[in-house]
Amino acid sequence: MTATAVQPRPGDPAITPALVAEHGLTPDEYDRLVAMLGRTPTFTELGVVSAMWSEHCSYKHSRPQLRTLPTEAPWVLQGPGENAGVIAVGDGLAVAFKIESHNHPSAVEPYQGAATGVGGILRDVFTMGARPIALLNSLRFGSLDSPRNRWLFANVVKGIGDYGNCVGVPTVGGEIVFDPAYDGNPLVNAMCVGLLREDELIRAVAQGVGNPIIAVGARTGRDGIHGASFASEDLSDENEAKRPRVQVGDPFTEKLLLEASLELIRSGHIVAIQDMGAAGLTSSSAEMASRGDVGVVIDTTKVPVREPGMTPYETLLSESQERMLVVAKRGHESDVRAILEKWDLLAEVIGEVIAEPVYRVMEGDRVVAEFPGTALVTNCPTYTPPAAESPAIAALRQRDVHAVPERPEEADPAWTLRTLLATPTIASKAWAYRQYDSTVRASTMVGPGSDAAVVRLPGTTRAIALCVDCNGRYVYLEPRTGAQIAVAEAARNVACSGAVPKAITNNLNFGNPKKPETFHQLVEAVRGMGEACRVLETPVTGGNVSLYNESPAGAVYPTPTVGMVGLVDDLAHVTRSTFPAAGHTIVLLGDCTDELGGSEYLNTIHGLVAGAPPRVDLAGEKRLIGALHAAITAGRVASAHDVSDGGLLVAVAECCIGDRERPVGAELELGAFDALPARAVRFGEAQGRVVVATAQPDAVLETARAHGVPARVIGRTTSDDALVISDHGRTWRVGLAALADAFHDAIPTRMTRPATAGAEA
């Protein structure tokens, strides 16, 4: 393709300070752009840079922090910088996985926002050459007392279910949290895991001068234009006007694209492939060129479109779904087309890799955008603004929560337990996950509702355990500790399922980083996450940063969600969280403390978010995981369940009634902890604890001692239809039916109320 000088298109608007501001560029960033080009940018170039230098694409406030995270281990085949991370799992097999957000789109159009979030994360995984085998999600909403939040929740769940079910990938696990902190800005994070052979791994690196660049999949429309920029600004009362920035998904086309892409990768006809995700054609082509340190030229008139009259600006920035960009081997164009035609999809050559170090966009014979070298990706600004903790949050953390008086109802601890089990954050999420197909492909061994999902690796006697975790309230009160706990809890959850934790992907959901208190939260959370990952030997293989999660009501809780992958080395070691039967001894690994800060108990019973979050001993967590793994692999553990939200009694109750069809009674004797405050023993959230049911208690206790882990017998499972608890000189009994009703009916009962897209009156 022969190039001439860059020319503004007839009819394009003049570049003015107002237009620059409308595109989200600061005056300094605009000056940086002019200096990079050596001239005034065209309208198309302004649009391209507004997307590529948006927070969503450039990570300009988080990149320096992310570089501090541990990313390497012998089993890591691909770390951050690609579409997804990849780890080796033995027998020449590998697992690709990643988590990403679709928060802003889901806030204004929850069904399509959530659905296209699933579609995007699926493409990130299968572009690595991996067949998706599991989906998870991490969702956060405001109180279900709000009709709008019920509308958001219902439509996000439906969007996730419809898309995943249609594509045929099981949704096997996740977490759902309800808190007023997310009232104006729900969080929708989607995780995908795929399986591949190590020798099938492909990377999105453009190479080979003269190799054609091919757009494959669906046609390009005007939906989703400026989606990346939309995700890089605070939500406001005008968000309804931004619905056109939300993409529209087609899961049936996605299924065809998945199969076509995997066939392309295995065919030998291509050298690179990347999803047209955030910033669409712009980011996919520019990032592939940057990774390969080559030039590219794109002709927008050759891009298949579904709407007439689309400008280069619109074509480059569209985020229409189910599209991929491929670099093929020269001379193999017809082979690529044949594969796509087989799957009823388009494949059109739209450009080529060139030796000249430029990123050039043509409209026929006209050059409408050109950037030197890989500067579009590498020359984006980065910022390290002032960071300072909010004095108000520091004061909350220092509050003496033990001085909070008990409510009269708490004279009956059964009331407190039932109330906690009925709070939507703790209650069963079956209302949501029953809308998901969790067993398609027949590899799911443990599905939603357990500590972690377990998915068999076909053709082997091994499996992977998967979970997502984060307690935003902890991170709000003390970001470094809260992020450490997120990693540690995720590791405990996969360990409870019989796995060795191997690696994480993360989704860092925060507010406006230009505010000192928010940037402090981000810096400290990344620091804590890195510390935990180093000790637990779970490197970060990639992820996503989602900032500006704010509404007129304020910022969400800082929520650095952790997606953990663990490896189960024998299917016989897969362990579930609910008590299997009567006649087992209940052992507590770890110890109770006097901690109440940041607990669900304080939040639900007293409406209070205060106190320091529980302490976390990372070395102790590592020993706990080792002891648990040793006991499980020795065949000594019948069930294992992490103690987290709601504390010890909630954890035991979940073991009793988690499976509503097969409840198992229990008797607990907690007198050994009578020196501690009663409500801290019952409902405190001390870290590093697991409730184990075993027929070999002496062996489990010995294994714990050998690993330096505190452990004690605290009860036994029974055939009684009750949970009987003795502590602090008294014994009380609560029927399993009452606990089960509280736990299993809480969300369905709330969701029978009317829901609406409008704000509450």
Side-chain angles (χ1 to χ4, degrees), residues 39-56:
R39 55 178 169 77
T40 300
T42 65
F43 179 59
T44 302
E45 288 169 333
L46 182 64
V48 164
V49 168
S50 76
M52 292 302 293
W53 288 6
S54 69
E55 195 76 54
H56 192 72

Side-chain angles (χ1 to χ4, degrees), residues 107-452:
V108 301
E109 218 310 306
Y111 180 86
Q112 289 294 350
T116 53
V118 173
I121 200 65
L122 282 166
R123 293 192 295 278
D124 279 341
V125 165
F126 67 71
T127 54
M128 303 303 295
R131 176 172 293 280
I133 60 172
L135 289 163
L136 299 92
N137 51 71
S138 174
L139 312 177
R140 283 168 171 75
F141 304 92
S143 168
L144 285 181
D145 292 335
S146 155
R148 179 172 176 81
N149 288 332
R150 292 196 295 275
W151 174 77
L152 288 168
F153 177 42
N155 282 278
V156 163
V157 167
K158 183 171 176 54
I160 289 170
D162 285 358
Y163 205 100
N165 295 354
C166 289
V167 176
V169 179
T171 300
V172 298
E175 61 168 356
I176 309 175
V177 171
F178 301 92
D179 192 284
Y182 304 99
D183 260 330
N185 197 135
L187 300 184
V188 177
N189 296 175
M191 178 176 171
C192 181
V193 183
L195 183 66
L196 69 158
R197 297 203 61 81
E198 289 187 35
D199 57 9
E200 294 170 343
L201 174 60
I202 188 170
R203 295 175 172 87
V205 180
Q207 54 188 315
V209 172
N211 278 341
I213 298 172
I214 305 177
V216 305
R219 292 179 179 272
T220 296
R222 289 187 170 95
D223 54 319
I225 293 174
H226 282 304
S229 302
F230 173 43
S232 305
E233 58 190 33
D234 291 344
L235 288 172
S236 67
D237 293 331
E238 287 77 42
N239 283 315
E240 292 303 313
K242 296 179 179 177
R243 283 180 183 267
R245 300 188 185 183
V246 179
Q247 308 93 327
V248 177
D250 178 357
F252 299 104
T253 299
E254 179 93 347
K255 173 62 174 173
L256 298 175
L257 184 60
L258 186 163
E259 299 298 342
S261 297
L262 292 179
E263 185 171 343
L264 270 181
I265 291 166
R266 288 154 177 72
S267 72
H269 298 310
I270 69 172
V271 297
I273 183 170
Q274 177 154 333
D275 168 38
M276 291 194 211
L281 174 57
T282 293
S283 63
S284 55
S285 55
E287 289 171 3
M288 284 205 293
S290 179
R291 293 189 190 107
D293 198 21
V294 296
V296 297
V297 59
I298 300 291
D299 185 348
T300 59
T301 66
K302 296 183 177 180
V303 176
V305 296
R306 65 170 183 259
E307 301 180 48
M310 288 187 66
T311 66
Y313 181 103
E314 294 170 324
T315 302
L316 288 168
L317 298 181
S318 167
E319 295 183 11
S320 293
Q321 296 292 284
E322 294 86 40
R323 300 179 303 153
M324 308 290 279
L325 195 65
V326 166
V327 178
K329 294 177 181 177
R330 183 164 49 180
H332 292 244
E333 295 90 339
S334 60
D335 300 302
V336 171
R337 286 193 185 95
I339 290 173
L340 271 294
E341 287 172 1
K342 170 185 171 181
W343 295 101
D344 293 327
L345 296 171
L346 293 169
E348 294 292 340
V349 175
I350 64 169
E352 66 178 339
V353 178
I354 60 175
E356 188 181 357
V358 296
Y359 177 81
R360 180 178 295 136
V361 180
M362 311 286 295
E363 184 185 22
D365 294 332
R366 184 197 309 271
V367 181
V368 294
E370 183 171 296
F371 298 88
T374 59
L376 186 56
V377 174
T378 61
N379 200 38
C380 62
T382 58
Y383 299 105
T384 305
E389 183 175 24
S390 161
I393 296 175
L396 284 175
R397 185 174 62 249
Q398 293 158 8
R399 181 167 173 177
D400 179 9
V401 295
H402 290 289
V404 175
E406 292 190 2
R407 293 173 53 170
E409 297 95 331
E410 293 184 74
D412 176 12
W415 174 86
T416 310
L417 178 57
R418 289 193 302 271
T419 303
L420 286 171
L421 288 171
T423 193
T425 291
I426 291 177
S428 168
K429 309 306 186 298
W431 182 90
Y433 64 68
R434 283 177 181 160
Q435 299 182 51
Y436 309 148
D437 188 335
S438 62
T439 59
V440 63
R441 305 191 63 82
S443 291
T444 306
M445 298 188 68
V446 179
S450 193
D451 282 17

